[in-house]
């Protein structure tokens, strides 16, 4: 727990100095709970444990949210598909979490987004049946949110005629629909939510260290008592041991690897996880005319078309993936599939020339007997394959807090003592406190600080009430008010803040996750790299060689992704993407060649 003399914000700064101190803690302390994995579930588990008064450490091989948790559809949703499949408990659980996030935990990061369910053309009788069927489903969705959800936070659904639907979404083909139903779900910048979770955990005393790869477990007899860790920012340094009374592995699609590390003592995993690849396209807002999103049924998946600032996100695919899990690659086949599906309902078909960005992520699905990943369970499981080691896997982004509470409940039972029950449903994340008042007063804030209202709105929607700290940085150094080259909607201050307070260690961390420049610009961040590296270099004390290496690596990564997206299938796309090593442990200037094995 933090000292009462230290502010919550100061205690939650993931600065370079904090990383050094937390590395020392990893070497010197024994923790109640050590979490492996810096995705949404791992960060949520660290926060849950720290909020109960336990001593906590979190280690992540790459960056916070570097895997699945930064590559979602950016939705906090109950799942209409689960309602259709009568998995009512999943809908109840997810809508409860959606209500908590929008109303209490992270209103600065999760906000309502309208979505249309188009009703396809059909015979008169079929039209009546479709409207009744889908209308009943969306009405039930609203009922679950209002009756069972923790604070609705969303407007009610509404039925629309064909003309009403096209008024709201003019790009819909009139000959393909008879009307639509509008409902609301939540939208989130997934990577930023994970960063806030980790920082909130840090504010409660958790040690949070990224670029720290677990290489094995420490065992005493048949009990796990810690892990071996390599600091990828100091690749020449020896591995070190981290002691913990309980180890929680929240490693998503790497869950099976945890059990393999214990294979020498015959440990069986207790669960199996399969990776399902989901690909998303990003196109400019001008490519489609509409004021709401779309949800469409396709032969193999559910397709969303979601407004995202000045862009649209179109996705997703749902296909088995057995290749490199660190950098899943989108192929030309994936891109063509998404374009073909969305073009069935658009009056102006999209082409590859419209695409600004592409990203691919892997969903960790609990493996079953079904052949298709789209039929695998979205539920989660907690297992203890060996004393002292808990694995949590499956689930969905929206219900991260439930997964985290479940696994820490198990840890508390194992530890004994008098730890409190989970209270994360009552704990606002950093930046959430006072957000409603700050948003109400945004014009006054802009006037006091001499910036436009648009700048304040942008910052509030990304940092909440932590915006005051970025404004203080700008007042101390007016150059930080400069828009970033090639991405003028972002300020230089955001790069500096990412390095000084949000744990960003590399250029890729900033351009891909602290901001979303890597997929929001046609150049994929290539035109921003030099400017961002200069700002980040000033914040972290990089010399000219490090700045040049960071830019070189980022540009090479962008080119490798572009090449992979031209490949005809998964195998060739994967080979093209793997042509560039990961920046973690990448030290060409030191004459070493490190192989990354990520958790």
């Amino acid at each position: 727990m933090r000292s009462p003399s230290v502010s919550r914000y100061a205690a939650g700064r993931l600065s370079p100095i904090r990383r050094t101190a937390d590395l020392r803690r990893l070497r010197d302390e024994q923790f109640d709970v050590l979490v492996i994995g810096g995705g949404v579930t791992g960060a949520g588990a660290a926060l849950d444990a720290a909020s109960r008064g336990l001593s906590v450490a979190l280690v992540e091989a790459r960056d916070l949210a570097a895997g699945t948790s930064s590559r979602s559809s950016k939705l906090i949703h109950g799942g209409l598909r689960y309602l259709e499949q009568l998995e009512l408990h999943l809908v109840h659980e997810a809508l409860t979490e959606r209500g908590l996030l929008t109303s209490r935990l992270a209103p600065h990061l999760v906000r309502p987004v309208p979505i249309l369910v188009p009703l396809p053309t059909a015979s008169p009788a079929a039209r009546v049946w479709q409207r009744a069927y889908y209308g009943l489903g969306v009405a039930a969705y609203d009922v679950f949110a209002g009756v069972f959800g923790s604070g609705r936070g969303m407007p009610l659904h509404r039925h629309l005629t064909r003309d009403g639907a096209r008024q709201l979404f003019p790009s819909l083909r009139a000959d393909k629909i008879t009307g639509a139903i509008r409902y609301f779900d939540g939208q989130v910048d997934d990577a930023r939510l994970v960063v806030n979770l980790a920082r909130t955990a840090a504010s409660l005393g958790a040690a949070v260290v990224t670029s720290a790869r677990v290489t094995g477990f420490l065992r005493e007899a048949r009990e796990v008592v810690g892990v071996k860790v390599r600091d990828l920012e100091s690749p020449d340094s020896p591995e070190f041991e981290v002691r913990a009374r309980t180890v929680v592995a929240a490693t998503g699609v790497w869950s099976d690897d945890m059990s393999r590390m214990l294979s020498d003592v015959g440990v069986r995993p207790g669960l199996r996880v399969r990776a399902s690849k989901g690909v998303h396209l990003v196109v400019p807002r001008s490519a489609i005319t509409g004021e709401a999103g779309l949800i469409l049924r396709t032969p193999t998946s559910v397709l969303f078309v979601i407004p995202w600032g000045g862009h649209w996100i179109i996705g997703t695919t749902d296909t088995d993936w057995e290749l490199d899990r660190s950098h899943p690659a989108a192929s030309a086949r994936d891109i063509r599939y998404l374009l073909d599906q969305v073009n069935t309902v658009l009056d102006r078909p999209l082409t590859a020339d419209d695409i600004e960005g592409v990203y691919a992520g892997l969903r960790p699905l609990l493996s079953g007997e079904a052949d298709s990943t789209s039929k695998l369970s979205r539920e989660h499981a907690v297992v203890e394959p060996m004393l002292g080691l808990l694995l949590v896997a499956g689930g969905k982004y929206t219900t991260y807090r439930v997964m985290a509470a479940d696994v820490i409940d198990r840890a508390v039972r194992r530890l004994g003592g008098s730890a409190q029950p989970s209270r994360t449903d009552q704990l606002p994340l950093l930046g959430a406190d006072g957000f409603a008042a700050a948003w109400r007063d945004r014009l006054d804030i802009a006037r006091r600080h001499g910036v436009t209202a648009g700048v304040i709105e942008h910052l509030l929607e990304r940092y909440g009430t932590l915006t005051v700290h970025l404004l203080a940085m700008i007042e101390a150094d007016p150059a930080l008010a400069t828009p970033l080259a090639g991405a003028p909607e972002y300020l230089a201050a955001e790069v500096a803040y990412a390095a000084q307070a949000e744990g960003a260690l590399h250029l890729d961390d900033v351009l891909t996750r602290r901001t979303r420049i890597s997929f929001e610009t046609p150049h994929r961040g290539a035109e921003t790299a030099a400017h961002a590296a200069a700002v980040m270099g000033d914040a972290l004390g990089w010399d000219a060689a490090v700045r040049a290496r960071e830019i070189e690596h980022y540009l090479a990564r962008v080119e490798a992704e572009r090449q992979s997206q031209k490949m005809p299938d998964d195998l060739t796309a994967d080979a093209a993407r793997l042509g560039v090593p990961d920046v973690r442990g990448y030290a060409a200037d030191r004459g070493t060649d490190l192989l990354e094995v990520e958790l």
Side-chain angles (χ1 to χ4, degrees):
M1 301 295 288
R2 75 174 188 273
S3 167
S5 63
V6 178
S7 73
R8 192 177 179 216
Y9 165 73
R13 281 178 65 97
L14 297 181
S15 64
I17 293 174
R18 171 65 177 265
R19 184 177 189 274
T20 300
D22 282 351
L23 274 169
R24 187 179 306 114
R25 288 182 62 193
L26 292 184
R27 291 181 169 92
D28 296 345
E29 295 182 24
Q30 180 187 40
F31 297 91
D32 293 324
V33 176
L34 169 66
V35 179
I36 307 171
V40 69
T41 306
L47 174 56
D48 190 286
S51 69
R52 301 189 198 208
L54 301 173
S55 60
V56 182
L58 181 150
V59 293
E60 159 61 40
R62 296 170 65 206
D63 182 30
L64 295 169
T68 303
S69 294
S70 62
R71 305 174 190 179
S72 74
S73 298
K74 321 304 182 199
L75 291 175
I76 298 294
H77 64 113
L80 280 176
R81 179 170 49 170
Y82 310 140
L83 192 63
E84 185 178 27
Q85 295 168 349
L86 297 180
E87 295 184 284
L88 303 183
H89 63 293
L90 290 180
V91 179
H92 168 212
E93 187 176 80
L95 289 175
T96 297
E97 295 306 308
R98 188 191 71 176
L100 286 169
L101 285 163
T102 55
S103 64
R104 182 184 304 157
L105 307 184
H108 57 311
L109 296 174
V110 183
R111 58 191 62 88
V113 59
I115 300 175
L116 295 183
V117 183
L119 302 176
T121 54
S123 66
R127 292 180 193 177
V128 172
W129 181 86
Q130 286 175 353
R131 189 173 286 277
Y133 177 77
Y134 288 110
L136 181 63
V138 176
Y141 201 66
D142 279 347
V143 169
F144 265 92
V147 175
F148 301 109
S150 179
R152 172 183 297 281
M154 304 284 168
L156 292 170
H157 79 282
R158 178 185 173 193
H159 283 258
L160 302 172
T161 63
R162 174 190 290 155
D163 289 343
R166 295 195 72 243
Q167 184 175 5
L168 195 59
F169 204 108
S171 284
L172 276 174
R173 285 178 56 178
D175 63 328
K176 288 292 184 178
I177 63 168
T178 61
I181 302 172
R182 186 194 67 183
Y183 74 102
F184 284 79
D185 252 324
Q187 184 169 63
V188 64
D189 186 323
D190 46 12
R192 293 209 59 78
L193 181 62
V194 174
V195 170
N196 271 38
L197 284 168
R199 291 189 62 195
T200 307
S203 75
L204 296 174
V208 177
V209 181
T210 59
S211 284
R213 178 163 63 85
V214 171
T215 59
F217 291 111
L218 302 177
R219 300 198 307 268
E220 292 180 358
R222 294 187 63 83
E223 181 175 7
V224 171
V225 295
V227 298
K228 298 176 183 177
V229 171
R230 176 177 297 157
D231 179 7
L232 296 182
E233 297 303 310
S234 301
D236 298 328
S237 300
E239 294 178 353
F240 60 93
E241 297 181 350
V242 184
R243 294 273 169 172
R245 298 170 65 196
T246 303
V247 176
V248 172
T251 50
V253 294
W254 290 272
S255 294
D256 293 354
D257 295 6
M258 296 292 97
S259 296
R260 292 192 191 103
M261 287 185 180
L262 297 170
S263 60
D264 62 318
V265 290
V267 170
R268 304 181 69 178
L271 57 79
R272 289 175 53 242
V273 174
R274 282 174 63 183
S276 170
K277 183 175 70 167
V279 175
H280 294 79
L281 310 180
V282 181
V283 302
R285 196 66 179 264
S286 59
I288 302 172
T289 305
E291 298 301 323
L294 298 177
I295 179 172
L296 308 169
R297 186 190 298 274
T298 76
T300 60
S301 65
V302 172
L303 188 74
F304 286 101
V305 182
I306 303 295
W308 176 261
H311 318 270
W312 296 93
I313 293 176
I314 302 169
T316 179
T317 60
D318 197 349
T319 56
D320 219 357
W321 179 263
E322 297 180 351
L323 301 170
D324 180 68
R325 288 166 292 170
S326 299
H327 307 290
S331 68
R333 177 189 299 167
D334 297 322
I335 293 170
R336 185 169 59 252
Y337 168 81
L338 290 173
L339 289 176
D340 288 345
Q341 296 303 317
V342 74
N343 283 338
T344 62
V345 298
L346 296 181
D347 62 352
R348 185 189 78 81
L350 300 176
T351 70
D353 292 337
D354 292 306
I355 297 173
E356 294 177 302
V358 181
Y359 63 90
L362 300 178
R363 303 180 196 88
L365 305 178
L366 295 183
S367 185
E369 298 301 320
D371 293 330
S372 169
T373 60
S374 64
K375 297 178 182 178
L376 295 181
S377 176
R378 262 60 172 183
E379 295 193 69
H380 70 272
V382 178
V383 299
E384 188 172 10
M386 189 171 185
L387 286 175
L389 174 63
L390 297 172
L391 304 183
V392 55
K396 52 187 287 189
Y397 193 104
T398 301
T399 56
Y400 78 86
R401 198 192 62 79
V402 176
M403 297 170 66
D406 282 355
V407 72
I408 300 303
D409 281 345
R410 285 281 295 269
V412 167
R413 288 198 296 270
R414 175 177 164 14
L415 292 170
S418 56
Q420 305 171 2
S422 178
R423 62 183 188 94
T424 51
D425 60 338
Q426 303 293 322
L427 181 61
L429 303 187
L430 288 177
D433 286 324
F435 173 71
W439 184 259
R440 182 194 63 218
D441 298 336
R442 61 192 183 278
L443 296 180
D444 289 337
I445 296 172
R447 187 162 46 250
R448 288 200 307 271
H449 291 276
V451 298
T452 66
V455 165
I456 295 300
E457 290 178 355
H458 167 81
L459 294 177
L460 285 173
E461 289 182 335
R462 288 171 49 75
Y463 306 94
T465 50
L466 299 179
T467 292
V468 296
H469 301 290
L470 284 94
L471 294 173
M473 292 171 64
I474 289 172
E475 289 182 358
D477 181 2
L480 293 178
T482 305
L484 288 174
E489 63 271 32
Y490 293 100
L491 303 180
E494 297 180 73
V495 175
Y497 187 77
Q500 294 175 4
E502 295 184 330
L505 301 176
H506 294 280
L507 184 60
D508 183 59
D509 301 346
V510 169
L511 296 182
T512 305
R513 287 170 292 277
R514 303 306 183 278
T515 71
R516 311 321 290 267
I517 293 170
S518 65
F519 68 69
E520 290 179 346
T521 59
H523 53 80
R524 314 282 175 95
E527 295 178 8
T528 311
H531 187 185
V535 176
M536 197 170 182
D538 288 344
L540 295 179
W542 290 347
D543 61 23
V546 173
R547 296 182 193 211
R549 187 188 75 229
E550 289 284 329
I551 295 170
E552 178 185 11
H553 177 272
Y554 183 80
L555 296 180
R557 197 217 77 180
V558 168
E559 181 57 28
E561 288 188 348
R562 286 188 183 277
Q563 291 303 314
S564 71
Q565 292 155 19
K566 297 176 182 178
M567 297 295 110
D569 53 36
D570 284 352
L571 195 62
T572 52
D574 180 68
R577 177 61 185 89
L578 289 181
V580 177
D582 195 279
V583 69
R584 257 72 189 180
Y586 179 67
D589 57 324
R590 301 188 191 100
T592 61
D593 183 18
L594 296 173
L595 176 65
E596 182 205 64
V597 182
E598 178 203 312
L599 296 178

